[in-house]
Amino acid sequence: MNEPSRADDDISGIGADPVAFEVFYRRHLEAVGRFVARRVDDPHLAADLTADVFLAVIESAAGYRPERGSQIGWLYGVARNVIGDERRRAAQRLRVTGRLAGRRDLGPDDIARIEERIDAESAARRTHGALSELPEGTRTLVELVAVDGLTVAEAATVLGMSPVAAARVRLHRARRVVRAVLARPVTTLA
């Protein structure tokens, strides 16, 4: 590989000059190909990455500064970044594939059972949705009484509410809100 003369040191314009880019490409193609081949064992991937390096060169050539180092050093830095990006993408693909690998495809019977379960839980989902419209403290009071089985007085103590009458009033209002939400027509996604 021939390093350019000092007159050719500034390659910052090759991204906008096709003739200059072609000269640069021809001068460095073999070196970049070897650089990539030392790091990648798939010939198709090596060819793709070599092409990607030169695409990255076009995009980043304006940032090249000869005083910071040689063209080949800069070019190897670009190649290293391109290979690193590919490795990160490959690792991400492996993580996604790994997550999916432990799952099996659902058959018609599986789907039917899941649909039945979803239908059976629709009232619970609506109730949960109704409860989510309550302020957090009121929702906690309702859950302590309706789900956890505490008395209103016990729930008021847990929440630090006094007098107990305030908890009773809040619970009464919350039940009215929940009933009103549950009385609304059910909307479904089309």
Side-chain angles (χ1 to χ4, degrees):
M1 172 208 48
N2 298 330
E3 191 62 28
S5 68
R6 293 308 283 164
D8 294 332
D9 273 354
D10 187 6
I11 57 166
S12 61
I14 64 174
D17 181 352
V19 173
F21 175 75
E22 183 178 354
V23 169
F24 181 85
Y25 175 81
R26 290 180 187 277
R27 180 183 298 137
H28 296 293
L29 177 60
E30 187 177 328
V32 171
R34 285 193 313 265
F35 183 90
V36 171
R38 285 190 296 269
R39 289 157 177 81
V40 175
D41 60 1
D42 176 3
H44 298 287
L45 181 59
D48 289 346
L49 290 175
T50 300
D52 289 347
V53 167
F54 285 102
L55 288 173
V57 162
I58 290 171
E59 294 174 5
S60 61
Y64 172 73
R65 300 292 174 259
E67 64 274 6
R68 292 187 184 164
S70 68
Q71 290 179 14
I72 197 69
W74 174 77
L75 185 56
Y76 284 173
V78 171
R80 186 178 156 277
N81 290 338
V82 167
I83 292 168
D85 289 346
E86 173 55 30
R87 287 188 174 145
R88 283 186 287 283
R89 283 189 300 271
Q92 176 64 21
R93 285 189 300 267
L94 280 174
R95 283 191 295 276
V96 169
T97 303
R99 280 189 227 134
L100 296 175
R103 299 179 182 176
R104 64 180 175 86
D105 289 338
L106 296 175
D109 292 340
D110 298 320
I111 292 172
R113 275 194 302 278
I114 292 170
E115 287 173 341
E116 288 172 9
R117 190 175 311 135
I118 288 170
D119 289 344
E121 296 299 329
S122 66
R125 278 194 312 281
R126 289 195 70 221
T127 302
H128 183 71
L131 288 173
S132 71
E133 293 193 18
L134 298 173
E136 185 176 342
T138 303
R139 182 176 53 248
T140 303
L141 174 66
V142 171
E143 290 171 351
L144 288 171
V145 173
V147 177
D148 298 318
L150 297 181
T151 66
V152 177
E154 292 168 330
T157 302
V158 168
L159 296 175
M161 294 177 68
S162 71
V164 174
R168 285 187 189 356
V169 169
R170 195 184 281 183
L171 185 61
H172 175 73
R173 289 180 182 158
R175 286 179 175 155
R176 193 172 49 209
V177 168
V178 169
R179 278 193 296 273
V181 170
L182 291 175
R184 293 181 198 156
V186 177
T187 58
T188 58
L189 298 175

